[in-house]
Amino acid sequence: MQSLRWRAIAALVVLVLGLAYMLPSIPGVKDSAIGKILPGDSVNLGLDLKGGINLTLGVDMDTAMDNNLARLGDDLKAVARDKEIFVLRPNVLNESQIEVVLLKSEQKDAFEDVINKYTQFAIENTHLMDGGKEKYVLTISPQYRKDIEKLTMEQAIKTIRNRIDQFGVAEPDIRRQQDNRIQVQLPGLQDPERAIKIIGQTAHLEFKMVDDAADVAKAQQGILAPGRELAVLLKKLPNGQYAESPIVLKRDAVLTGEYVTDAKVQLDNWNSPYVAITFNARGGAIFTNLTTENVNKRMAIVLDGKVYSAPVIQERISGGRASITGQFNREEARDLAVVLRAGSLPAPVEILEQRSVGPSLGQESIDNGVMSAFIGMAMVLGFMVIYYSFAGLVADIVLCLNIMLILAGLAAFGATLTLPGIAGIILTIGMAVDANVIIFERIREELRRGLSASQAVAEGYGRATLTILDANVTTVIAAVILYQFGTGPVRGFAVTLTLGIITSMFTAIFVSRILFELYLKSRSDSAKLSI
Amino acid sequence: MGLQIIKPDTKIDFIGLRKFAFILSAIIILAGVASLLIKGGPKYGIDFAGGMIVQVKIDKTTDVEMVKDAVRGVELPGLVVQTLGLDGDHEYLIRTSSSNITSEDVRSRVTTALSDNLDGAHFEIQRLEMVGPKVGADLRTKALEALFYAVLLIAVYISGRFEQRWTIAGVMAAALGFGVYGIGLLGLEMGWLIIAALIITVALCWYLKLNYALGAVAALIHDVIITIGIFSILGKEFDLTIIAALLTIIGYSLNDTIIVFDRIRENNNARKGNTTFAAVINTAVNQTLSRTIMTSVTTLLVVFCLFVLGGSVIHDFALALLIGVGVGTYSSVFVASPILLGFGPSAQETSEA
């Protein structure tokens, strides 16, 4: 009986630990005196239970690559010019190649030296053109491409995190997923649409000069002078809608959002809000030069390809400040300031998946889930006692311990309880008695064969254990695969199911046997067993 | 002493009943498949098809027709209105097949339509989900893969445990797994790929005489097909939670089957004289019958509670489990064991006997 004592102690230790981890999840316990000495936190509730939004964003990596290559090309052009080698503006051919035209082919050696020394490009091929020009096709290595992809994703995640932090959501969860996707979870958010707008906005801010000499009508037919582009000027109407009108801009941005250090909402003399931006030293210097050289010309403020305003530069503006007016309401101005402060996304993002659950539905789901769990459990408990009398009581006790251990496990591992997770627990309640049923039926068989109670118990547990293991391993396999392939709520289900199976094996095989043996030991006539 | 529903000396001739069982199974499967064919495949929810759903709760007596009328003017492609939960809840699901419109737009259009046309009834948008077409296709592929790999691993486990033929089963699984992965790279439609792979799995189990695995896998494919068929007949949608339910059904069905198989193996090893294998199976099924029924009853009790009280979101999930647990119990007795009989216990054990 020595071993019985040690087994009982081991079981007690596990159960006490389980209790300690489970208790904080009971409403009210965490804040009470006892809550202070308990470990860990309460069970995390999934977004489907506490309300909130879950977004899957796809980063447009093709565009990001194109932007990156264009920038690398511009860098190359700049480095070459410093060395008095003149090239035309590089063109992006595809996601790993650009095309550069060298104006004087006699500078070939010097130019190739620049490419090899100062850039990540490799020369794919060269081609002699008319007038002594040389056309180069340059490519980047797959490894470097991967590095850019990684950096782009990191920057996108960082930017989104910054924006959400400024938006003020408690406990946001932002993580990278495969295939250039980002998962964003925002619990308990009341206004999902606004959050989505803020997260999804690329916020690529550019300042471009307006070409007032150009013919807008011709431009609309696609006739544009080199280095010009057609854009859309937004004008807010009194009803809150935007009217669009065409405008011709010089293609090269004179200044970009990279140099912005701060953006704030301020009110003008007529009490309407505008966004005041502050540049860093370099940006400020560029802006001062720009305004000095272009007095009486119009400068367009372009955000994500749309022109918000195109004011005439009245005078030189120094001090590194500018403002974006666009007849916003206060909320729009605030949101714009948020995205400008947090920086622009390195590439456009697309919302691939969005799930938002209102907090009231979440509460309703919890109530329904808990209610059906309790009623289902009560029915099973009653049924077991009626069918197996004393043994049924043992099964009931270990079933309650089992539920406690599942909750403790969820809290201890920091797993998230979702609605399908609650379903998993409920299913476990039904299946958890299975192990005991197998054992009890065996014991009954052995008793019928004429074995004494303690022999029958030993025989029943001995023979049933392997069967139970076999049966449960297959369910665990299904659950593990569910976890591997599933997303969000399905994973929650897999976790509770796996936990439920493991804990039910512990309680139904190990703990219930201890209870049986203690019971038999305490009775003088151990021949009888109520089963 | 507790109750006993099944008398200890019950001797029901389950093997003798197998013809009726096969006919019954065949009828239900054919009905399900016919329904799938008529409806042009399973009806996918937005998880798999892409699109958007808006769940609204109205705190005034309304019916689905009123809500339909109210949103009629909303110009959204493939607009469908469904009732959700119980009649008294006044919860509705408004669905559109498009995911090109922003969710903001859909939300505002639905809100405007409802507040304009429902005589100022108070309503709340409880849930809004949007799944883009790319993600939908991904999720569908992953779900199918999950079902396939679950079946494959389970076949390996059973063959290993019951017939000590880990190596053969493992090689089979590895070959199939790599095969599916390889062909998957070619961009074939995943659905057909998985169906083909499942057929090959069953054929391989048969060829390699992995008979326990064959019985169990056949039974669980049977259960999954029936559940899918009934869902199609009832016009229910398939989404991610239904896949979770199907995998649970796989787990449960196997659990049941394995317990019966375990007893068959135990009895077969202790077989004396001229007992037939059919008699061994019958005895084993009868011996475990009490347990089979008890576990089904307790599980069905709680799943039924989930079905009735669990709330709208989990209703179909519970329905899938209800059907699946019922069918799974039936199949372990009436489908898995007769298949095992049809092919013998396994080459190895017969030669030893």
Side-chain angles (χ1 to χ4, degrees):
Chain A
M1 282 296 134
Q2 195 72 0
S3 94
L4 176 61
R5 181 187 300 157
W6 287 114
R7 276 185 290 146
I9 290 171
L12 263 178
V13 170
V14 173
L15 294 175
V16 168
L17 268 177
L19 192 68
Y21 275 103
M22 188 269 294
L23 275 178
S25 301
I26 308 277
V29 171
K30 209 179 167 190
D31 304 321
S32 67
I34 198 170
K36 305 259 188 316
I37 55 162
L38 291 172
D41 286 319
S42 49
V43 174
N44 291 326
L45 294 181
L47 292 184
D48 53 349
L49 293 178
K50 63 180 161 191
I53 57 177
N54 185 348
L55 293 173
T56 308
L57 305 169
V59 177
D60 181 354
M61 201 48 86
D62 291 352
T63 307
M65 276 297 163
D66 285 354
N67 290 344
N68 256 298
L69 286 173
R71 219 192 48 227
L72 289 172
D74 286 345
D75 289 350
L76 170 64
K77 187 185 166 195
V79 176
R81 197 178 47 198
D82 284 349
K83 307 212 177 290
E84 309 215 320
I85 302 165
F86 294 97
V87 296
L88 292 179
R89 188 166 204 247
N91 271 327
V92 176
L93 294 180
N94 59 37
E95 291 140 40
S96 55
Q97 286 182 330
I98 63 166
E99 185 186 74
V100 192
V101 175
L102 177 66
L103 290 177
K104 293 176 189 157
S105 60
E106 56 268 28
Q107 290 183 322
K108 227 178 142 176
D109 290 342
F111 184 52
E112 286 175 13
D113 196 43
V114 166
I115 293 171
N116 294 329
K117 252 195 194 143
Y118 298 100
T119 70
Q120 290 280 353
F121 286 110
I123 299 165
E124 183 85 10
N125 60 57
T126 62
H127 175 69
L128 191 65
M129 294 164 70
D130 298 339
K133 292 182 204 159
E134 187 91 21
K135 192 190 320 178
Y136 280 82
V137 174
L138 306 179
T139 181
I140 52 169
S141 69
Q143 183 54 46
Y144 188 55
R145 229 184 94 100
K146 257 193 203 140
D147 289 349
I148 295 181
E149 263 179 37
K150 196 171 157 239
L151 269 174
T152 307
M153 288 304 287
E154 279 168 7
Q155 200 193 329
I157 289 174
K158 206 178 120 203
T159 308
I160 289 171
R161 179 163 292 135
N162 277 340
R163 290 182 186 180
I164 292 170
D165 286 348
Q166 304 212 8
F167 196 62
V169 178
E171 300 172 54
D173 182 41
I174 304 153
R175 56 184 70 184
R176 184 180 177 177
Q177 292 186 313
Q178 53 189 17
D179 301 330
N180 299 324
R181 286 178 188 168
I182 299 172
Q183 189 191 39
V184 180
Q185 293 198 320
L186 308 171
L189 198 69
Q190 296 291 342
D191 190 355
E193 299 307 334
R194 208 170 133 212
I196 288 163
K197 220 171 159 182
I198 288 186
I199 292 168
Q201 188 166 15
T202 311
H204 190 53
L205 179 71
E206 294 163 303
F207 294 85
K208 293 182 175 181
M209 297 312 298
V210 179
D211 184 4
D212 279 315
D215 186 338
V216 173
K218 267 192 179 165
Q220 276 177 302
Q221 290 162 18
I223 306 164
L224 276 167
R228 300 290 183 276
E229 66 179 3
L230 185 66
V232 177
L233 175 64
L234 295 178
K235 187 170 162 50
K236 197 170 195 191
L237 303 173
N239 67 4
Q241 301 284 333
Y242 283 99
E244 299 187 343
S245 58
I247 185 169
V248 176
L249 305 178
K250 292 185 181 169
R251 199 176 61 190
D252 288 341
V254 287
L255 189 60
T256 65
E258 273 177 76
Y259 303 109
V260 172
T261 53
D262 197 14
K264 277 197 206 86
V265 179
Q266 292 186 341
L267 298 175
D268 64 14
N269 297 338
W270 296 275
N271 230 17
S272 54
Y274 66 95
V275 180
I277 45 185
T278 311
F279 295 108
N280 63 15
R282 173 117 190 268
I286 299 175
F287 197 64
T288 309
N289 276 340
L290 197 73
T291 49
T292 316
E293 289 165 14
N294 293 294
V295 172
N296 289 333
K297 287 185 186 157
R298 284 209 290 165
M299 186 179 68
I301 298 168
V302 190
L303 187 70
D304 293 336
K306 295 204 165 150
V307 182
Y308 274 75
S309 63
V312 177
I313 299 169
Q314 308 282 0
E315 55 185 2
R316 171 177 183 264
I317 307 170
S318 59
R321 286 169 197 279
S323 59
I324 306 176
T325 54
Q327 291 122 319
F328 313 104
N329 65 33
R330 197 177 285 237
E331 199 170 80
E332 285 168 328
R334 197 185 85 104
D335 292 351
L336 181 60
V338 165
V339 294
L340 288 176
R341 263 203 309 270
S344 66
L345 285 174
V349 292
E350 185 192 355
I351 295 167
L352 299 175
E353 194 186 344
Q354 176 200 338
R355 295 171 196 271
S356 53
V357 173
S360 70
L361 180 67
Q363 191 55 47
E364 206 181 302
S365 301
I366 296 182
D367 294 346
N368 287 334
V370 170
M371 165 90 112
S372 46
F374 269 124
I375 294 182
M377 194 159 155
M379 286 166 84
V380 171
L381 294 180
F383 187 73
M384 289 299 283
V385 170
I386 293 171
Y387 200 84
Y388 290 113
S389 48
F390 167 75
L393 196 65
V394 172
D396 286 354
I397 293 170
V398 297
L399 176 59
C400 294
L401 295 177
N402 186 19
I403 304 288
M404 182 188 90
L405 286 180
I406 294 177
L407 291 176
L410 286 175
F413 296 125
T416 306
L417 186 63
T418 57
L419 195 54
I422 292 184
I425 294 179
I426 294 172
L427 187 70
T428 313
I429 297 173
M431 288 173 66
V433 295
D434 181 55
N436 281 125
V437 170
I438 295 172
I439 295 165
F440 295 169
E441 290 297 324
R442 260 296 174 164
I443 294 179
R444 279 183 174 186
E445 274 182 54
E446 303 301 335
L447 284 174
R448 279 197 295 272
R449 277 178 46 203
L451 266 65
S452 75
S454 53
Q455 281 172 316
V457 167
E459 217 23 42
Y461 274 95
R463 281 172 176 261
T465 305
L466 259 186
T467 310
I468 295 167
L469 269 177
D470 279 335
N472 284 329
V473 166
T474 52
T475 314
V476 172
I477 291 177
V480 167
I481 289 189
L482 212 52
Y483 185 82
Q484 186 59 38
F485 288 90
T487 50
V490 176
R491 281 195 155 189
F493 177 71
V495 169
T496 46
L497 194 62
T498 313
L499 256 175
I501 291 164
I502 294 167
T503 55
S504 80
M505 294 215 282
F506 171 74
T507 52
I509 301 175
F510 192 72
V511 181
S512 79
R513 185 170 187 174
I514 295 170
L515 292 176
F516 263 111
E517 289 182 4
L518 285 175
Y519 172 76
L520 289 173
K521 210 179 135 197
S522 69
R523 290 168 64 103
S524 47
D525 57 337
S526 64
K528 284 225 163 57
L529 182 64
S530 166
I531 190 167
Chain B
M1 202 73 179
L3 292 176
Q4 275 181 358
I5 297 173
I6 305 295
K7 294 275 169 289
D9 52 351
T10 319
K11 286 197 177 63
I12 305 171
D13 184 11
F14 288 106
I15 291 300
L17 293 170
R18 69 180 183 276
K19 285 202 181 92
F20 295 106
F22 281 167
I23 292 171
L24 181 65
S25 293
I27 290 173
I28 303 176
I29 289 174
L30 284 178
V33 171
S35 157
L36 280 173
L37 288 178
I38 292 167
K39 293 179 179 169
K43 190 168 150 196
Y44 291 125
I46 65 154
D47 283 346
F48 297 142
M52 223 178 281
I53 53 169
V54 183
Q55 183 178 332
V56 287
K57 188 180 172 79
I58 302 172
D59 58 1
K60 206 175 144 185
T61 308
T62 41
D63 60 42
V64 70
E65 288 307 320
M66 290 166 70
V67 180
K68 263 185 203 165
D69 284 340
V71 295
R72 188 148 291 158
V74 179
E75 282 171 8
L76 292 172
L79 196 74
V80 179
V81 180
Q82 293 164 294
T83 340
L84 204 62
L86 304 170
D87 277 349
D89 292 348
H90 307 303
E91 284 180 27
Y92 304 93
L93 215 54
I94 299 166
R95 214 187 127 163
T96 160
S97 56
S98 173
S99 50
N100 294 327
I101 316 162
T102 65
S103 53
E104 183 185 12
D105 202 9
V106 171
R107 187 186 285 259
S108 71
R109 282 197 219 179
V110 168
T111 311
T112 317
L114 288 181
S115 41
D116 287 355
N117 303 330
L118 276 182
D119 305 328
H122 186 74
F123 63 88
E124 186 194 335
I125 292 189
Q126 294 189 305
R127 187 160 65 110
L128 189 144
E129 297 192 354
M130 186 279 284
V131 179
K134 237 189 286 176
V135 175
D138 269 17
L139 290 177
R140 202 163 59 206
T141 310
K142 279 194 164 178
L144 279 167
E145 274 182 289
L147 285 174
F148 170 71
Y149 286 117
V151 171
L152 196 59
L153 280 182
I154 283 162
V156 174
Y157 181 76
I158 296 174
S159 306
R161 273 289 297 141
F162 283 80
E163 312 182 61
Q164 263 72 54
R165 294 168 71 188
W166 291 104
T167 329
I168 292 180
V171 170
M172 172 185 86
L176 264 174
F178 279 118
V180 168
Y181 179 75
I183 306 171
L185 292 181
L186 298 178
L188 255 167
E189 167 67 37
M190 201 63 186
W192 294 111
L193 199 65
I194 298 298
I195 290 172
L198 281 179
I199 292 171
I200 296 171
T201 310
V202 171
L204 275 177
C205 283
W206 174 76
Y207 180 75
L208 298 169
K209 297 206 169 26
L210 298 168
N211 293 332
Y212 282 102
L214 179 65
V217 169
L220 71 90
I221 291 177
H222 166 270
D223 299 346
V224 169
I225 290 179
I226 286 185
T227 310
I228 291 176
I230 295 180
F231 253 61
S232 169
I233 292 171
L234 295 176
K236 295 283 179 191
E237 283 174 0
F238 286 83
D239 55 24
L240 273 179
T241 46
I242 302 305
I243 297 297
L246 286 178
L247 277 160
T248 315
I249 290 167
I250 290 182
Y252 185 87
S253 161
L254 271 161
N255 194 306
D256 241 20
T257 306
I258 282 177
I259 285 159
V260 177
F261 277 12
D262 211 52
R263 195 48 93 87
I264 292 175
R265 195 178 55 136
E266 186 185 327
N267 292 357
N268 194 48
N269 289 343
R271 170 149 71 142
K272 289 191 277 280
N274 52 2
T275 347
T276 60
F277 190 48
V280 171
I281 292 179
N282 253 335
T283 315
V285 174
N286 275 298
Q287 281 171 335
T288 49
L289 191 60
S290 201
R291 174 265 153 198
T292 308
I293 292 174
M294 276 298 295
T295 301
S296 292
V297 168
T298 54
T299 309
L300 286 173
L301 269 181
V302 285
V303 175
F304 187 71
C305 285
L306 199 61
F307 178 69
V308 177
L309 304 166
S312 54
V313 184
I314 215 150
H315 197 73
D316 286 353
F317 175 80
L319 179 66
L321 285 183
L322 212 52
I323 300 167
V325 170
V327 179
T329 307
Y330 158 86
S331 74
S332 60
V333 172
F334 288 101
V335 178
S337 307
I339 287 180
L340 188 60
L341 172 70
F343 296 99
S346 85
Q348 219 178 355
E349 275 173 322
T350 323
S351 63
E352 278 170 9

